[in-house]
Amino acid sequence: MANLKEIRNRITSVGSTMQITSAMKMVSAAKLKKAQDAITAMRPYADKLTELLQSVSASLDGDSGSVFAEQRDVKNVLVVAVTSNRGLCGAFNTNIIKEASKLANETYAGKNVSFMTVGKKGHDILSKKFYVIHNNNSVFDDLTFENVSDITRRLMEVYTEGTYDKIVLLYNHFKNAATQVVKTEDFLPIQPIAQEELSSSAADYIFEPSKVEIVETLIPKSLKTQLYKAVRDSFASEHGARMTAMHKATDNAKELKAELTLTYNKARQAAITNEILEIVGGAEALNN
C-alpha cells in the first residue's frame, strides 16, 4: 500500500504542476497578443526611419557627417544582449547566451569585448564569463520608449567618448509564437546604405533646412527607435517562447499523469488480487 500511496502523491503533484503550466500558458498568450501587436505596428516605422537616416548619412560629404557615422578601427566592442528577467521560456535565453559567447570568442576574437545586458537572466550568466559594464533589469517592469531611451543615451555617450569603436545589438527576433530567431544587428556606427541603393532613392527626398541638420536631428531619434524595437521584439519573443514551452509542459504533464494513473490502477488491481488469493488460501486451510 505504501507504493500505491507514493503513486497517488505523484499523480497529485503532476496534476498541480499541470494546472500551473496551463495557467502560465494562458497568461503568456494574453501578454503575447499585446506585445505582438506593438512590435508589428512599430516595425515599418522603425525600418523606414533607419533607411532614411542611412540614405541621408551616405550622401553627406566625409567631413560633414556625424560622429555616429564615423567608421573607426575596431578594437573595443560593446554587445548589448537582450534577455528576460524570468525563466521557463525554453531556449529563449540560452540561445542569446550561446550567441554572445560566439561573438566574444569567434566573431570578435582578438578584440576587447564587453557586454551591456538588458534582462536578469543574461546578466547572471554573462557576468561570470565576461565584463558587463551595466545591467538593465528594471526596463521590463515598465517597458516604455522613455525608459529604453535612457539606455540609448548611455550607449551614445560611451561611443562619443571613444570608449567603444563598435556597438552591436543581440536579441531574439519575433517571427511567430513558436519561432524566435537570434539576431545580431549593428547599432553604432551607423552603417551607410549601399551606393547602388543610394542612387535610386536619393531623388525621392527634398531636404529642408539641410542634410547635416536633418542627420543631427534624426540620429538620436533613430537610435532610440532602433533599440526600442529590439527590446520590444525580444519582449514579444519571450512571451511566445514561454507560451510554447508551457504548452509542451502541459502536454507532457497530461501524458505523465495518464501513465501514472494506469500504473496506479495496475498496482491497485494486483494488491486486490493478492488479498483475494490470501483470503481464499486461508479459507481452504480452515476447511482442510
Side-chain angles (χ1 to χ4, degrees), residues 270-284:
I272 293 173
T273 302
N274 288 333
E275 290 178 0
I276 293 175
L277 290 176
E278 289 175 0
I279 293 173
V280 172
E284 291 181 354

Side-chain angles (χ1 to χ4, degrees), residues 6 10 12 19 21 25 37 47 52 93 111 124 158 183-184 190 205 207 213 246-247 250 257 271 275:
E6 180 181 348
R10 288 194 63 191
T12 302
Q19 290 179 340
T21 56
K25 171 190 170 183
D37 291 343
D47 292 342
L52 175 61
N93 293 312
K111 315 289 185 184
D124 290 345
V158 296
K183 191 170 183 179
T184 304
I190 298 170
Y205 303 113
F207 302 102
E213 292 181 51
M246 292 301 99
H247 176 72
T250 302
K257 185 177 181 181
E275 290 178 0

Side-chain angles (χ1 to χ4, degrees), residues 6-72:
E6 180 181 348
I7 296 175
R8 279 201 306 270
N9 290 338
R10 288 194 63 191
I11 292 174
T12 302
S13 176
V14 171
S16 299
T17 302
M18 185 172 64
Q19 290 179 340
I20 294 172
T21 56
S22 180
M24 291 181 67
K25 171 190 170 183
M26 289 187 290
V27 170
S28 292
K31 291 182 177 180
L32 172 63
K33 182 64 171 65
K34 184 178 179 180
Q36 183 179 357
D37 291 343
I39 188 59
T40 302
M42 182 181 180
R43 275 179 186 162
Y45 170 77
D47 292 342
K48 191 63 180 177
L49 183 61
T50 301
E51 177 189 336
L52 175 61
L53 179 61
Q54 290 176 336
S55 177
V56 177
S57 298
S59 64
L60 290 173
D61 296 332
D63 57 347
S64 59
S66 169
V67 64
F68 298 110
E70 177 186 347
Q71 303 296 319
R72 307 173 184 171

Side-chain angles (χ1 to χ4, degrees), residues 1-286:
M1 295 302 293
N3 188 36
L4 288 176
K5 183 178 180 181
E6 180 181 348
I7 296 175
R8 279 201 306 270
N9 290 338
R10 288 194 63 191
I11 292 174
T12 302
S13 176
V14 171
S16 299
T17 302
M18 185 172 64
Q19 290 179 340
I20 294 172
T21 56
S22 180
M24 291 181 67
K25 171 190 170 183
M26 289 187 290
V27 170
S28 292
K31 291 182 177 180
L32 172 63
K33 182 64 171 65
K34 184 178 179 180
Q36 183 179 357
D37 291 343
I39 188 59
T40 302
M42 182 181 180
R43 275 179 186 162
Y45 170 77
D47 292 342
K48 191 63 180 177
L49 183 61
T50 301
E51 177 189 336
L52 175 61
L53 179 61
Q54 290 176 336
S55 177
V56 177
S57 298
S59 64
L60 290 173
D61 296 332
D63 57 347
S64 59
S66 169
V67 64
F68 298 110
E70 177 186 347
Q71 303 296 319
R72 307 173 184 171
D73 183 23
V74 179
K75 295 180 180 178
N76 301 300
V77 180
L78 178 63
V79 179
V80 182
V82 185
T83 57
S84 66
N85 284 341
R86 300 185 179 93
L88 298 177
C89 47
F92 175 82
N93 293 312
T94 304
N95 290 338
I96 292 293
I97 293 167
K98 286 181 179 178
E99 185 62 25
S101 299
K102 183 179 178 181
L103 287 174
N105 298 325
E106 297 179 19
T107 306
Y108 297 111
K111 315 289 185 184
N112 296 322
V113 180
S114 303
F115 287 88
M116 177 185 283
T117 55
V118 180
K120 182 177 183 296
K121 292 299 181 180
H123 176 262
D124 290 345
I125 297 178
L126 291 175
S127 60
K128 297 177 182 178
K129 302 178 181 179
F130 307 102
Y131 174 57
V132 178
I133 66 169
H134 191 260
N135 181 39
N136 304 275
N137 289 343
S138 59
V139 69
F140 289 115
D141 297 336
D142 185 17
L143 186 53
T144 62
F145 184 80
E146 289 74 18
N147 289 338
V148 177
S149 295
D150 292 337
I151 304 175
T152 307
R153 281 190 285 269
R154 178 186 287 264
L155 293 174
M156 293 170 67
E157 286 176 4
V158 296
Y159 186 81
T160 304
E161 294 167 357
T163 307
Y164 297 99
D165 306 309
K166 187 180 183 67
I167 299 179
V168 178
L169 300 182
L170 176 61
Y171 63 97
N172 278 290
H173 170 69
F174 179 80
K175 191 172 181 180
N176 54 55
T179 307
Q180 300 81 39
V181 181
V182 176
K183 191 170 183 179
T184 304
E185 190 174 278
D186 291 334
F187 187 69
L188 285 171
I190 298 170
Q191 300 300 315
I193 197 169
Q195 289 298 322
E196 55 271 14
E197 296 180 24
L198 175 62
S199 59
S200 63
S201 61
D204 296 336
Y205 303 113
I206 297 175
F207 302 102
E208 177 66 33
S210 69
K211 290 184 180 180
V212 175
E213 292 181 51
I214 290 173
V215 166
E216 293 297 332
T217 303
L218 277 181
I219 282 177
K221 187 172 184 179
S222 175
L223 292 176
K224 291 174 183 178
T225 303
Q226 184 180 359
L227 182 59
Y228 184 58
K229 184 194 73 170
V231 176
R232 269 287 178 192
D233 224 348
S234 179
F235 188 64
S237 298
E238 175 191 348
H239 289 301
R242 182 172 290 111
M243 186 187 74
T244 302
M246 292 301 99
H247 176 72
K248 292 180 180 178
T250 302
D251 289 345
N252 291 338
K254 287 180 181 179
E255 293 179 6
L256 181 57
K257 185 177 181 181
E259 292 176 3
L260 288 172
T261 302
L262 181 60
T263 302
Y264 174 79
N265 290 336
K266 288 181 178 179
R268 183 168 175 271
Q269 185 177 7
I272 293 173
T273 302
N274 288 333
E275 290 178 0
I276 293 175
L277 290 176
E278 289 175 0
I279 293 173
V280 172
E284 291 181 354
L286 290 175

